[in-house]
């Protein structure tokens, strides 16, 4: 467990005795068990003991936008030792995906990684050691292979501010779709309303299934969420 960003990660036994503490990084959001006695977590690299700071920047037309970098980390569950640690910004640079930074509705926090879900079994579409990374403020899910540094697939589509990716089968993942903007804008009032408005169906949160082989999305029990 951790107190978000403050304590580092701490492991205790069933008697609440501390087994180890790993505080060279800061942890936030999810922790997921991985293969071979490991686990993965969303993390920040500390700088002078701080975990929230602008660790990267991008530029548009000479305007600089500093932003919070995020990292993903794999740990040995028995000892807490760090086995793998990687900047998500570096992943984007290495895979020619930096355009994702400017698609976010939060220029200072365009990544906001909220889940790193590891693959536990090999299949035609996934390998043990792969991870699915979820970015909240840019609304994408990335199938990433740490062993090669390769982005296998970038998943974007009819979802926004999603959380909690889970591997459902050897060809599907499921996740929670918040279905709304992270930074809620005010109702537009600058111009008058037209006499005949085109009304779009109401939007709801829900669970979505994604088929890796076909790229198809599917709602799961959507009427429950609508209700």
């Amino acid at each position: 467990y951790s107190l978000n960003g403050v304590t580092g990660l701490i492991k205790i036994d069933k008697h609440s005795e501390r087994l180890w503490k790993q505080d060279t990084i800061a942890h936030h959001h999810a922790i997921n068990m991985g293969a071979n006695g490991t686990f993965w977590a969303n993390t920040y690299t500390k700088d002078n003991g701080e975990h929230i700071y602008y660790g990267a920047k991008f530029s548009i037309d000479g305007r600089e936008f500093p932003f919070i970098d995020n990292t993903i980390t794999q740990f040995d569950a028995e000892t807490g030792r760090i086995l793998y640690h990687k900047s998500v910004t570096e992943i984007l640079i290495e895979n020619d995906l930096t355009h994702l930074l400017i698609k976010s509705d939060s220029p200072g926090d365009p990544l906001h990684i909220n889940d790193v879900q590891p693959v536990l079994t090999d299949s035609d579409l996934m390998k043990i050691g792969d991870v699915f990374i979820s970015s909240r403020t840019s609304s994408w899910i990335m199938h990433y292979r740490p062993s090669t540094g390769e982005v296998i697939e970038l998943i974007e589509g009819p979802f926004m501010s999603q959380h909690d990716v889970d591997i459902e089968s050897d060809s599907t993942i499921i996740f929670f779709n918040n279905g709304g903007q992270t930074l809620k804008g005010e109702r537009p009032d600058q111009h008058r309303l037209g006499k005949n408005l085109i009304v779009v169906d109401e939007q709801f949160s829900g669970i979505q299934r994604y088929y890796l082989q076909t790229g198809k999305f599917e709602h799961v029990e959507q009427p429950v969420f609508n209700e």
Side-chain angles (χ1 to χ4, degrees):
Y1 73 92
S2 78
L3 300 180
N4 189 34
V6 178
T7 58
L9 277 164
I10 298 169
K11 182 178 180 179
I12 58 176
D13 64 16
K14 64 183 179 181
H15 303 294
S16 297
E17 295 295 329
R18 181 183 293 183
L19 301 178
W20 53 254
K21 179 179 181 179
Q22 172 57 267
D23 60 1
T24 64
I25 49 83
H27 162 254
H28 62 106
H29 287 84
I31 300 174
N32 289 302
M33 294 305 298
N36 303 317
T38 68
F39 68 93
W40 288 82
N42 312 308
T43 57
Y44 296 113
T45 298
K46 287 186 175 181
D47 183 49
N48 294 327
E50 297 181 12
H51 72 285
I52 299 289
Y53 60 93
Y54 293 126
K57 68 176 182 179
F58 62 88
S59 299
I60 303 174
D61 295 333
R63 295 170 294 145
E64 291 187 351
F65 293 85
F67 66 92
I68 301 166
D69 188 22
N70 284 215
T71 48
I72 59 171
T73 309
Q74 182 188 35
F75 302 84
D76 184 308
E78 187 67 26
T79 65
R81 184 168 62 92
I82 291 176
L83 304 174
Y84 179 90
H85 184 71
K86 183 73 173 178
S87 158
V88 176
T89 301
E90 289 180 349
I91 293 175
L92 298 184
I93 292 171
E94 292 165 4
N95 288 274
D96 195 25
L97 291 171
T98 54
H99 65 275
L100 295 175
L101 295 170
I102 64 173
K103 296 180 70 173
S104 169
D105 60 357
S106 177
D109 187 20
L111 296 171
H112 204 103
I113 304 303
N114 55 37
D115 197 18
V116 184
Q117 185 68 44
V119 174
L120 302 181
T121 56
D122 283 331
S123 69
D124 291 341
L125 301 172
M126 298 177 267
K127 294 184 180 297
I128 293 176
D130 291 359
V131 292
F132 285 86
I133 304 170
S134 169
S135 168
R136 186 195 76 181
T137 41
S138 288
S139 300
W140 50 255
I141 298 167
M142 177 187 293
H143 180 186
Y144 179 65
R145 185 159 293 160
S147 61
T148 63
E150 178 186 5
V151 172
I152 306 302
E153 182 179 7
L154 181 72
I155 302 167
E156 297 179 284
F159 58 87
M160 192 170 192
S161 299
Q162 78 292 333
H163 283 66
D164 194 20
V165 179
D166 285 308
I167 298 167
E168 184 184 37
S169 72
D170 61 0
S171 62
T172 59
I173 61 173
I174 56 174
F175 57 91
F176 178 73
N177 172 31
N178 269 300
Q181 296 153 315
T182 304
L183 305 177
K184 295 179 175 64
E186 297 299 322
R187 182 182 184 273
D189 60 3
Q190 182 179 1
H191 306 290
R192 70 172 178 83
L193 291 176
K195 291 182 180 179
N196 298 307
L197 291 178
I198 300 172
V199 180
V200 178
D201 289 343
E202 189 170 0
Q203 306 295 303
F204 297 98
S205 61
I207 297 172
Q208 289 198 7
R209 174 179 291 115
Y210 178 71
Y211 291 83
L212 296 168
Q213 201 158 22
T214 64
K216 175 186 174 184
F217 291 91
E218 180 179 74
H219 295 290
V220 179
E221 300 290 349
Q222 190 61 46
V224 176
F225 287 89
N226 296 358
E227 180 67 23

